[in-house]
Amino acid sequence: MTVETAVALNVIVDNLTEMIGLFTDVALGEGLAPLLVAAGGILIVASVGVFGVLTLGAIGSLFTSD
């Protein structure tokens, strides 16, 4: 692993930890912020799940005969 790679990974880890802190501040905020964060999370999980199942079905259909 080169020094440049280590520096890049360090920046990514630092950004991820900062992002988690920012999302936590928003999720624990006042008003509708916690509800909006939860609704956004549900939408993301549902869409990734649907497209994941569709992708697995498409891959499965490549290896089966009609």
Side-chain angles (χ1 to χ4, degrees), residues 8-34:
L9 289 176
N10 192 17
V11 169
I12 291 171
V13 170
D14 288 342
N15 286 340
L16 284 174
T17 54
E18 183 181 358
M19 182 184 67
I20 291 170
L22 292 173
F23 270 95
T24 303
D25 291 342
V26 170
L28 298 176
E30 298 180 12
L32 294 176

Side-chain angles (χ1 to χ4, degrees), residues 48-59:
V48 167
V50 167
F51 285 113
V53 168
L54 290 173
T55 302
L56 288 176
I59 291 171

